């Protein structure tokens, strides 16, 4: 069981927007702005899409945005494209002894 | 552009020690400011942070692996390494090395190796 809770799957049609949630606790998501989101197409290494809740690394399209409210963080992908189909993982710094915790992953299907 | 590359055996026997090395190019480990991590992904499963090392040799390990884990750094070779002892089938996974995207961005892994599959089997 992962420390952060994500929905197993979400889907959307091209051009639509989808939001993936990531629920933690007051020991991680709720207390630190250290939430990251990763995109992982099959057979590839994860790619950082969002860090520190809402910062995009260089090269990541602005269709990807992040937010946080309380113990829940969210990744929103607008203008959905076929190439966005992948697994998405959230992570957070945590005050527990594990330093970083991950979510269980969400499979995004572009219909 | 920083690049990371894992290397090591793809097959390890149960009870033996899993050893992997991450070679860093495009940047120096000894320049400081970054934490160098190992992360693994069991087949078809999510991500698990294993531990990190700083260029000074300071380490922090996942408590679930701490008793079997050693992470070391060789700044002269610009490499850091993972040793996991007494492995079982449960340690079969893709192992990634990674670095923070920027200084002081705790746990935001912006640079990853391609990953290497390690299978524990006799």
């Amino acid at each position: 069981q992962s420390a952060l809770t994500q929905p197993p799957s979400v889907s959307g049609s091209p051009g639509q927007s989808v939001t993936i949630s990531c629920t933690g606790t007051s020991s991680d998501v709720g207390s630190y702005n250290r939430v990251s989101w990763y995109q992982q197409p099959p057979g590839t290494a994860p790619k950082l899409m969002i860090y520190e809740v809402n910062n995009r690394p260089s090269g990541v399209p602005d269709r990807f945005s992040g937010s946080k409210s309380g113990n829940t963080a969210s990744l929103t992908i607008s203008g959905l494209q076929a190439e966005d189909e992948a697994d998405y993982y959230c992570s957070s710094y945590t005050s527990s002894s594990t330093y970083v915790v991950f979510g269980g992953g969400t499979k995004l299907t572009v219909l | 552009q920083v690049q990371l590359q894992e290397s090591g055996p793809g097959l390890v026997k149960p009870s033996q020690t899993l050893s992997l090395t991450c070679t860093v190019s495009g940047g120096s480990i000894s320049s400081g400011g970054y934490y160098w991590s190992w992360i693994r992904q069991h087949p078809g499963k999510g991500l698990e942070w294993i531990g990190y090392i700083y260029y000074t040799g300071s380490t922090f390990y996942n408590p679930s692996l701490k008793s079997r884990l050693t992470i070391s750094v060789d700044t002269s070779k610009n490499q850091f390494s993972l040793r996991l002892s007494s492995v079982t089938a449960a340690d079969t996974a893709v192992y990634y090395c990674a670095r923070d995207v920027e200084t002081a961005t705790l746990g935001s892994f912006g640079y990853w190796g391609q990953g290497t599959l390690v299978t524990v089997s006799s």
Side-chain angles (χ1 to χ4, degrees):
Chain A
Q1 185 175 355
S2 301
L4 304 179
T5 301
Q6 298 180 233
S9 63
V10 297
S11 62
S13 299
Q16 289 186 332
S17 294
V18 295
T19 297
I20 300 172
S21 63
C22 171
T23 301
T25 69
S26 57
S27 295
D28 38 65
V29 175
S31 292
Y32 303 97
N33 289 327
R34 301 290 190 182
V35 177
S36 299
W37 289 91
Y38 301 88
Q39 177 192 66
Q40 187 179 35
T44 69
K47 174 186 177 183
L48 181 67
M49 305 302 284
I50 296 287
Y51 67 101
E52 293 183 339
V53 178
N54 57 11
N55 291 314
R56 280 187 309 276
S58 174
V60 173
D62 59 6
R63 302 186 294 105
F64 291 83
S65 62
S67 62
K68 190 186 84 166
S69 178
N71 294 337
T72 298
S74 298
L75 172 70
T76 297
I77 309 171
S78 59
L80 207 56
Q81 299 180 3
E83 66 200 50
D84 299 331
E85 189 162 287
D87 292 329
Y88 289 83
Y89 294 91
C90 63
S91 74
S92 174
Y93 177 80
T94 174
S95 60
S96 76
S97 56
T98 52
Y99 173 61
V100 170
V101 288
F102 288 95
T106 298
K107 182 176 180 59
L108 168 63
T109 301
V110 180
L111 302 171
Chain B
Q1 177 82 344
V2 172
Q3 294 185 313
L4 297 86
Q5 176 72 59
E6 306 89 352
S7 60
L11 181 65
V12 181
K13 289 182 168 52
S15 80
Q16 293 191 342
T17 296
L18 181 162
S19 296
L20 296 174
T21 295
C22 182
T23 301
V24 179
S25 59
S28 173
I29 289 178
S30 57
S31 63
Y34 301 100
Y35 294 89
W36 303 87
S37 287
W38 287 98
I39 296 162
R40 70 181 181 180
Q41 186 170 32
H42 295 101
K45 303 295 185 182
L47 300 162
E48 179 184 26
W49 174 77
I50 296 171
Y52 73 61
I53 191 163
Y54 196 58
Y55 80 100
T56 57
S58 173
T59 56
F60 190 42
Y61 298 156
N62 188 319
S64 68
L65 299 169
K66 187 174 182 179
S67 62
R68 302 190 289 129
L69 182 62
T70 302
I71 298 177
S72 58
V73 64
D74 185 337
T75 55
S76 68
K77 295 181 178 180
N78 220 28
Q79 296 175 332
F80 62 106
S81 298
L82 163 76
R83 286 174 57 87
L84 185 65
S85 64
S86 305
V87 297
T88 70
D91 295 309
T92 294
V94 175
Y95 286 76
Y96 296 100
C97 54
R99 196 207 80 176
D100 298 339
V101 61
E102 298 173 355
T103 58
T105 54
L106 297 172
S108 301
F109 306 111
Y111 298 92
W112 295 68
Q114 65 185 26
T116 186
L117 174 63
V118 179
T119 301
V120 178
S121 175
S122 55

